[in-house]
Amino acid sequence: MPRPVHFEIQADDPVRAKGFYEQLFGWSFQKWGEHDYWLIKTGEDQPGIDGGLLKRMGGPLDRQTPHPVIGYVCTMGVDDTEAYVVKALGLGGEIAVPKMAVQGVGWLAYVKDTEGNIFGLMQEDPNAA
């Protein structure tokens, strides 16, 4: 069956978004060609995918009305959901959905980055209830 092979983060301010994800997850970014596009490296030697960062297509996000680009929510596996939520808030992020138990799976929270994009944070815990 098809599996994700790449993700993209669209941002009103790519440099600000780059700093947010570098500090939050330790991801590395490399400018790709002459375009305003950065390749994102999310890790080594473990399951996962890499992605890209670019200027939001269709103009800036107007938080009062729907924006032109809508996409999938990517969820990152973390060792401590609460700690990453606190760290994201300190970097200018916002809580989209507070931490909750996914019974038998773990702890999940959804956070908005500095550009209004939502991502998930999942801490594995088979005892979550």
Side-chain angles (χ1 to χ4, degrees):
M1 67 183 74
R3 297 184 67 195
V5 296
H6 183 80
F7 67 88
E8 286 185 334
I9 299 170
Q10 299 206 12
D12 294 335
D13 184 339
V15 173
R16 178 177 62 200
K18 178 178 168 290
F20 178 85
Y21 286 102
E22 285 172 333
Q23 292 178 58
L24 183 60
F25 296 126
W27 291 351
S28 62
F29 292 75
Q30 180 179 353
K31 186 91 188 258
W32 187 57
E34 299 298 316
H35 309 283
D36 284 335
Y37 195 94
W38 292 261
L39 296 174
I40 304 170
K41 186 77 170 165
T42 64
E44 300 282 342
D45 304 324
Q46 56 187 328
I49 61 173
D50 294 326
L53 172 70
L54 67 151
K55 183 97 173 149
R56 188 179 311 282
M57 292 186 273
L61 175 63
D62 176 352
R63 294 181 190 230
Q64 304 304 315
T65 59
H67 51 86
V69 176
I70 299 173
Y72 291 93
V73 173
C74 290
T75 299
M76 273 49 79
V78 297
D79 58 1
D80 185 337
T81 300
E82 288 182 34
Y84 275 90
V85 167
V86 168
K87 190 173 181 181
L89 295 175
L91 294 168
E94 302 174 38
I95 293 174
V97 177
K99 178 184 163 185
M100 64 182 143
V102 178
Q103 188 172 15
V105 177
W107 300 98
L108 174 66
Y110 290 105
V111 176
K112 288 184 183 180
D113 69 9
T114 54
E115 310 309 304
N117 298 306
I118 296 175
F119 61 91
L121 298 167
M122 171 63 78
Q123 175 185 344
E124 289 185 30
D125 181 356
N127 298 315

